């Protein structure tokens, strides 16, 4: 008859599997974050070059990766909560303190924070590029519509139109 593991051994095995799951989650997070950064870099190149035709497809890809990042963050939060920790800096510091042998997770976490900072900066710059492009488009439309509104050289039918709706005799 085989001996049953004692409670502390079961607890240690459970903690080991939870630790492995946590490490895998953080590892998957950094892979997804790097994919997100690559998409943001591609978006930036497209915006700078004015290649906007494929932006819609890129936005779909970004949304898919963002959803995966949110799923992984929720999983990490759940794993931290199972250990009685919050999903914040203090919670992570407490997790690392409770798992001192998990040095690889610590380095992956540090890398994840760095990649997240890079993504935040790329997103900020891309937002500025989009804003600039929108302002340029608005100015171009204003010029086109403004010159048409003040001159009224041609009507919607392509025929010459008088400069205003009033006739010369109306002003006398």
């Amino acid at each position: 008859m085989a001996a049953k593991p004692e409670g502390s051994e079961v607890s240690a095995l459970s903690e080991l599997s939870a630790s492995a799951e946590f490490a895998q989650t953080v590892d998957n997070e950094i892979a997804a974050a790097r994919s997100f950064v690559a998409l943001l870099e591609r978006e930036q190149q497209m915006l700078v070059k004015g290649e906007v035709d494929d932006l819609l497809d890129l936005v779909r890809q970004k949304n898919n990766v963002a959803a995966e990042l949110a799923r992984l963050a929720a999983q990490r939060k759940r794993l931290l909560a199972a250990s009685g920790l919050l999903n914040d800096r203090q919670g992570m510091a407490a997790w690392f303190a409770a798992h001192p042998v998990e040095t690889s997770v610590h380095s992956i976490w540090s890398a994840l924070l760095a990649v997240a900072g890079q993504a935040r900066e790329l997103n900020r710059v891309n937002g500025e590029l989009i804003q600039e492009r929108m302002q340029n488009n608005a100015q171009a439309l204003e010029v086109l519509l403004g010159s048409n509104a003040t001159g009224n050289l041609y009507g919607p039918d392509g025929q010459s139109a008088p400069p205003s709706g009033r006739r010369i005799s109306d002003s006398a």
Side-chain angles (χ1 to χ4, degrees):
M1 196 162 120
K4 290 184 182 179
E6 293 184 25
S8 62
E9 290 176 14
V10 171
S11 177
L13 288 174
S14 176
E15 181 63 28
L16 184 62
S17 66
S19 178
E21 185 179 4
F22 188 81
Q24 185 62 50
T25 300
V26 175
D27 196 39
N28 291 343
E29 270 188 288
I30 193 159
R34 286 181 175 150
S35 294
F36 195 71
V37 163
L39 290 171
L40 287 169
E41 288 172 338
R42 195 167 125 219
E43 178 183 53
Q44 190 173 94
Q45 292 168 357
M46 292 169 73
L47 289 168
V48 167
K49 292 178 182 177
E51 299 169 351
V52 295
D53 295 339
D54 295 328
L55 274 178
L56 188 57
D57 183 51
L58 185 79
V59 167
R60 284 188 197 108
Q61 292 175 43
K62 278 180 26 183
N63 287 342
N64 289 339
V65 175
E68 177 66 6
L69 282 166
R71 185 190 69 74
L72 290 166
Q75 184 174 342
R76 176 174 30 86
K77 181 179 181 179
R78 179 184 56 78
L79 291 168
L80 285 169
S83 297
L85 303 171
L86 295 176
N87 187 31
D88 59 9
R89 287 183 190 264
Q90 292 172 340
M92 287 302 298
W95 191 91
F96 291 130
H99 301 86
V101 296
E102 296 289 349
T103 56
S104 63
V105 178
H106 194 277
S107 63
I108 291 169
W109 179 253
S110 295
L112 178 59
L113 293 177
V115 171
Q118 183 183 7
R120 192 170 21 263
E121 179 61 17
L122 282 166
N123 198 47
R124 184 193 64 76
V125 170
N126 290 0
E128 288 177 3
L129 289 170
I130 290 168
Q131 187 66 28
E132 183 180 320
R133 183 164 294 281
M134 287 174 57
Q135 287 175 348
N136 289 343
N137 288 344
Q139 288 172 348
L141 280 172
E142 190 175 305
V143 166
L144 290 173
L145 294 175
S147 66
N148 189 25
T150 56
N152 269 345
L153 299 176
Y154 297 98
D157 61 357
Q159 300 298 313
S160 295
S164 71
R166 299 181 346 172
R167 293 184 299 216
I168 295 175
S169 62
D170 290 342
S171 61

